[in-house]
Amino acid sequence: MDNFDTETRGYAVLEAKAPLVPYTFNRRDLRSGDIAFDIKYAGICHSDIHQAREEWGGAIFPMVPGHEIVGVVTAIGSGVTKFAVGDTVGVGVFIDSCRECENCLAGQQQYCLKGMTGTYNGYERDGTTVAMGGYSNKFVIDQDYALKVPASLELTGVAPLLCAGITLYSPLRHWKAGPGMKVGVIGLGGLGHMGVKFAAAMGAEVTVFSHSANKEADAKAMGATHFVVTKDPQVFTDNAESFDLILNTVSAELDINQYLGLLKLDGTLVVIGLPGKPYEVTAFNLLRLRRSLAGSMIGGLPEIQEMLDFCAEKNIVSDVEVIKADYINEAYDRTVSSDVKYRFVIDASTF
Ligand code: NAP
Ligand code: ZN
Ligand code: ZN
């Protein structure tokens, strides 16, 4: 068993809606199956903001957010076989699950029937230890829930793959995005920009629906063929009944009926963004053309690994703005106002 100094520096939200502040805490001592790693970068996902600002309810404070994490292994437990000191590893939205339900056994740990163990803002499987996330300089995790990061990928752009990346990769694979398919991505933020890169790399024809006209050149550089500014209602008539698959990544409320109208026969609109309020759906929009409204949540461990390997093969990473820890609160405000290109990533050496 390697020695491991458990003292960890990070940033936390001490109460709902409060700004993030420096925070020191202890990671657990290494169990036999654990790896410890020095975090190099941690992405800022809009889900962090929803939770830090208590927009979903039920949050646990103090909260150290962060579920897009990459780093380098510094110590391993006596039973670790999958990783060695010096390996580059990634951690996403969950750190554990029951390991025995049918979904866990099928590699769909995000849909664990007993509930996945979130990377933060939840309790570990002992039911009492509060999990602390990636806005920190060290992490400890069971080897079975860490991912291997391909060495060829530019590390600053890797952290966002662990949530934003897999969250778009998984529905694109599930609904079989590929040549001959018209795929729409609503919202060119952290999630949306990964969706554009993946859908284009899979061979689909990609259209971005955005409320920010100034993102057109970026969207096209990422692989989009069309860019639609949604402020003009005419665009919903112009694009009606023409899409196979639309992925809604918008973090705010949205008139989902407008987008259902863009689907062709048997088309699917996938809900990915998580505003706190329910959507209102007009039944007629679903019945007409036998449309489906679906949801999708991150991805399981085998699929995350597949996505990382796909990224290595296609040389895909996130477009990031690297920040220091003391800029997190400004980064939150800029993300909420859609002013992010296209993911903020915290340099963990600044904690
Ligand atoms: P983000 O970087 O803030 O991107 C969201 C994008 O939505 C913005 O860049 C903007 O794109 C658009 N948008 C924002 N406010 C809008 C408004 N008022 N009207 C219309 N469009 C607006 O957020 P993210 O990190 O990608 O996360 C997006 C959502 O997905 C969040 O709700 C997050 O909690 C959720 N999420 C879900 C999963 C899952 O497993 N399903 C995983 C991670 C995150 P334009 O400027 O292009 O319009
Ligand atoms: Zn996330
Ligand atoms: Zn399970």
Side-chain angles (χ1 to χ4, degrees), residues 1-67:
M1 177 90 65
D2 290 333
N3 285 328
F4 170 61
D5 173 7
T6 59
E7 191 175 284
T8 303
R9 293 188 313 276
Y11 261 55
V13 191
L14 301 182
E15 57 183 350
K17 298 185 171 62
L20 285 104
V21 292
Y23 183 72
T24 300
F25 60 102
N26 283 286
R27 297 283 178 194
R28 66 174 180 245
D29 286 321
L30 291 192
R31 298 171 188 156
S32 74
D34 279 348
I35 59 171
F37 64 91
D38 277 350
I39 298 179
K40 295 297 175 193
Y41 298 99
I44 294 180
C45 176
H46 207 119
S47 298
D48 300 343
I49 305 173
H50 290 309
Q51 291 173 91
R53 296 184 174 176
E54 187 66 312
E55 290 168 1
W56 295 342
I60 303 168
F61 299 99
M63 179 194 298
V64 176
H67 59 205

Side-chain angles (χ1 to χ4, degrees), residues 97-105 108-109 111-115 125:
S97 65
C98 85
R99 306 173 187 228
E100 51 191 35
C101 73
E102 61 184 271
N103 295 349
C104 282
L105 294 176
Q108 305 267 20
Q109 296 85 358
Y111 301 126
C112 173
L113 295 174
K114 293 183 182 154
R125 295 209 91 74

Side-chain angles (χ1 to χ4, degrees), residues 45-48 67-68 93 163-164 167 191 298 343:
C45 176
H46 207 119
S47 298
D48 300 343
H67 59 205
E68 295 183 336
V93 178
C163 173
T167 300
L191 270 58
I298 44 177
R343 199 56 141 190

